[in-house]
Coordinates of all heavy atoms in Angstrom, one line a residue:
F1 N -7.4 -5.9 0.2 CA -7.2 -7.2 0.7 C -8.0 -8.3 -0.1 O -7.5 -9.4 -0.3 CB -7.6 -7.3 2.2 CG -6.6 -6.6 3.1 CD1 -6.9 -5.4 3.8 CD2 -5.3 -7.0 3.1 CE1 -6.0 -4.8 4.6 CE2 -4.3 -6.4 3.9 CZ -4.7 -5.3 4.7
A2 N -9.1 -7.9 -0.6 CA -9.9 -8.8 -1.5 C -9.1 -9.1 -2.8 O -9.1 -10.2 -3.3 CB -11.3 -8.3 -1.8
K3 N -8.5 -8.0 -3.3 CA -7.8 -8.1 -4.6 C -6.5 -8.9 -4.5 O -6.2 -9.8 -5.3 CB -7.5 -6.7 -5.1 CG -6.6 -6.7 -6.4 CD -6.3 -5.2 -6.7 CE -5.3 -5.1 -7.9 NZ -5.0 -3.7 -8.2
T4 N -5.8 -8.7 -3.4 CA -4.4 -9.3 -3.2 C -4.5 -10.7 -2.6 O -3.6 -11.5 -2.8 CB -3.5 -8.4 -2.4 OG1 -4.1 -8.2 -1.1 CG2 -3.4 -7.0 -3.1
G5 N -5.4 -10.9 -1.7 CA -5.5 -12.1 -0.9 C -4.5 -12.1 0.3 O -4.3 -13.1 0.9
Y6 N -3.8 -10.9 0.5 CA -2.9 -10.8 1.6 C -3.7 -10.9 2.9 O -4.9 -10.4 3.0 CB -2.2 -9.5 1.6 CG -1.1 -9.4 0.6 CD1 -0.9 -8.3 -0.2 CD2 -0.2 -10.5 0.4 CE1 0.1 -8.2 -1.2 CE2 0.9 -10.4 -0.5 CZ 1.0 -9.3 -1.3 OH 2.0 -9.2 -2.2
P7 N -3.2 -11.4 4.0 CA -3.8 -11.3 5.3 C -3.8 -9.8 5.8 O -2.9 -9.0 5.3 CB -3.0 -12.1 6.2 CG -1.6 -12.1 5.6 CD -1.9 -12.1 4.1
R8 N -4.7 -9.5 6.7 CA -4.7 -8.1 7.2 C -3.7 -7.9 8.3 O -4.0 -7.6 9.4 CB -6.1 -7.8 7.7 CG -7.2 -7.7 6.6 CD -8.6 -7.5 7.2 NE -9.6 -7.4 6.1 CZ -10.1 -6.2 5.7 NH1 -9.8 -5.1 6.2 NH2 -11.0 -6.2 4.7
A9 N -2.4 -8.1 7.9 CA -1.3 -8.0 8.8 C -0.7 -6.6 8.7 O -0.9 -5.9 7.7 CB -0.2 -9.0 8.4
P10 N -0.1 -6.1 9.7 CA 0.4 -4.7 9.8 C 1.2 -4.3 8.5 O 0.9 -3.2 8.0 CB 1.3 -4.7 11.0 CG 0.7 -5.7 11.9 CD 0.2 -6.8 11.0
K11 N 2.1 -5.1 8.0 CA 2.9 -4.7 6.9 C 2.1 -4.4 5.6 O 2.4 -3.5 4.8 CB 4.0 -5.7 6.6 CG 3.5 -7.1 6.3 CD 4.7 -8.1 6.1 CE 4.1 -9.5 6.0 NZ 5.3 -10.5 5.9
Y12 N 1.0 -5.2 5.5 CA 0.2 -5.1 4.3 C -0.7 -3.9 4.3 O -1.0 -3.3 3.3 CB -0.6 -6.4 4.0 CG 0.3 -7.5 3.7 CD1 0.3 -8.7 4.5 CD2 1.2 -7.5 2.6 CE1 1.1 -9.8 4.2 CE2 2.1 -8.5 2.3 CZ 2.0 -9.7 3.1 OH 2.9 -10.7 2.9
Y13 N -1.2 -3.5 5.5 CA -1.9 -2.2 5.7 C -1.0 -1.1 5.2 O -1.4 -0.2 4.4 CB -2.2 -2.0 7.1 CG -3.4 -2.7 7.7 CD1 -3.3 -3.8 8.4 CD2 -4.7 -2.1 7.5 CE1 -4.4 -4.5 9.0 CE2 -5.9 -2.8 8.0 CZ -5.7 -3.9 8.8 OH -6.8 -4.5 9.3
I14 N 0.3 -1.1 5.7 CA 1.2 0.0 5.3 C 1.5 0.0 3.8 O 1.6 1.1 3.2 CB 2.5 -0.1 6.2 CG1 2.1 0.1 7.7 CG2 3.4 1.0 5.8 CD1 3.3 -0.2 8.6
M15 N 1.7 -1.2 3.3 CA 2.0 -1.2 1.8 C 0.8 -0.7 1.0 O 1.0 0.1 0.0 CB 2.2 -2.7 1.4 CG 3.5 -3.3 1.8 SD 3.7 -5.0 1.3 CE 5.0 -5.6 2.4
K16 N -0.4 -1.0 1.4 CA -1.6 -0.4 0.8 C -1.6 1.1 0.8 O -1.8 1.8 -0.2 CB -2.9 -1.0 1.4 CG -4.1 -0.5 0.7 CD -4.7 0.8 1.2 CE -5.9 1.2 0.3 NZ -6.3 2.6 0.6
W17 N -1.3 1.6 2.0 CA -1.3 3.1 2.2 C -0.2 3.8 1.4 O -0.5 4.8 0.8 CB -1.2 3.4 3.7 CG -2.3 3.0 4.5 CD1 -3.6 2.8 4.1 CD2 -2.2 2.6 5.9 NE1 -4.4 2.3 5.2 CE2 -3.5 2.2 6.3 CE3 -1.2 2.5 6.9 CZ2 -3.8 1.7 7.6 CZ3 -1.5 2.0 8.1 CH2 -2.8 1.7 8.5
L18 N 0.9 3.2 1.3 CA 2.0 3.7 0.5 C 1.7 3.6 -1.0 O 2.1 4.5 -1.7 CB 3.3 3.0 0.8 CG 3.9 3.3 2.2 CD1 5.1 2.4 2.5 CD2 4.3 4.7 2.4
S19 N 1.1 2.6 -1.4 CA 0.8 2.4 -2.8 C -0.3 3.4 -3.3 O -0.3 3.8 -4.5 CB 0.3 1.0 -3.1 OG -1.0 0.8 -2.6
D20 N -1.0 4.0 -2.4 CA -2.0 5.0 -2.8 C -1.3 6.3 -3.4 O -1.9 7.0 -4.2 CB -2.9 5.4 -1.6 CG -3.9 4.4 -1.2 OD1 -4.1 3.4 -2.0 OD2 -4.4 4.4 0.0
Y21 N -0.1 6.6 -2.9 CA 0.6 7.7 -3.5 C 1.0 7.5 -4.9 O 1.3 8.4 -5.6 CB 1.8 8.1 -2.6 CG 1.3 8.5 -1.2 CD1 1.2 7.6 -0.1 CD2 1.0 9.9 -1.0 CE1 0.8 8.1 1.1 CE2 0.5 10.3 0.3 CZ 0.4 9.4 1.3 OH -0.1 9.8 2.6
I22 N 1.1 6.2 -5.3 CA 1.4 5.9 -6.7 C 0.1 6.0 -7.5 O 0.1 6.7 -8.6 CB 1.9 4.5 -6.8 CG1 3.2 4.3 -5.9 CG2 2.3 4.2 -8.2 CD1 3.6 2.8 -5.8
T23 N -1.0 5.4 -7.1 CA -2.2 5.4 -7.9 C -2.9 6.7 -8.0 O -3.5 7.1 -9.0 CB -3.2 4.3 -7.4 OG1 -3.4 4.5 -6.0 CG2 -2.6 2.9 -7.7
E24 N -2.8 7.5 -6.9 CA -3.5 8.8 -6.8 C -2.6 9.9 -7.4 O -3.2 10.8 -8.0 CB -3.8 9.1 -5.3 CG -4.7 10.3 -5.2 CD -5.1 10.6 -3.8 OE1 -5.0 9.7 -2.9 OE2 -5.7 11.7 -3.5
F25 N -1.3 9.9 -7.2 CA -0.5 11.0 -7.6 C 0.5 10.7 -8.7 O 1.0 11.6 -9.3 CB 0.3 11.6 -6.4 CG -0.6 12.0 -5.2 CD1 -0.8 11.2 -4.2 CD2 -1.3 13.2 -5.3 CE1 -1.7 11.5 -3.1 CE2 -2.2 13.6 -4.2 CZ -2.3 12.8 -3.2
G26 N 0.8 9.5 -8.9 CA 1.7 9.1 -10.0 C 3.1 9.4 -9.7 O 3.9 9.7 -10.6
I27 N 3.5 9.2 -8.4 CA 4.9 9.3 -8.1 C 5.7 8.2 -8.8 O 5.1 7.2 -9.2 CB 5.2 9.2 -6.6 CG1 4.8 7.8 -6.0 CG2 4.4 10.3 -5.8 CD1 5.3 7.6 -4.6
D28 N 7.0 8.4 -9.0 CA 7.8 7.5 -9.9 C 8.6 6.5 -9.1 O 9.2 5.6 -9.8 CB 8.7 8.4 -10.7 CG 7.9 9.5 -11.5 OD1 7.4 9.1 -12.5 OD2 7.9 10.6 -11.0
G29 N 8.8 6.7 -7.8 CA 9.6 5.7 -7.1 C 9.5 5.9 -5.6 O 9.0 6.9 -5.1
Y30 N 10.1 4.9 -4.9 CA 10.2 5.0 -3.5 C 11.6 4.7 -3.1 O 12.3 3.7 -3.6 CB 9.3 4.0 -2.8 CG 8.0 4.5 -2.4 CD1 6.8 3.9 -2.8 CD2 7.8 5.6 -1.5 CE1 5.5 4.3 -2.4 CE2 6.6 6.0 -1.1 CZ 5.4 5.4 -1.6 OH 4.2 5.9 -1.2
R31 N 12.2 5.4 -2.1 CA 13.4 5.0 -1.4 C 12.8 4.3 -0.2 O 12.0 4.9 0.6 CB 14.2 6.2 -1.1 CG 15.4 5.9 -0.2 CD 15.1 6.1 1.3 NE 16.3 6.1 2.1 CZ 16.3 6.2 3.4 NH1 15.2 6.3 4.1 NH2 17.5 6.2 4.1

């Protein structure tokens, strides 16, 4: 939240959690 400036709204929590699978594991895409 400090990096993005997004409010701590529900959708942004979930986006953060989903993005972790990209940075940690290197998945290639999301449906």
Side-chain angles (χ1 to χ4, degrees):
F1 287 115
K3 174 184 177 182
T4 62
Y6 286 137
R8 292 174 179 259
K11 59 186 173 184
Y12 295 121
Y13 279 100
I14 299 173
M15 288 181 200
K16 185 273 175 192
W17 295 331
L18 291 171
S19 71
D20 287 345
Y21 294 94
I22 305 172
T23 53
E24 185 175 350
F25 302 99
I27 66 168
D28 304 280
Y30 267 122
R31 175 265 192 184

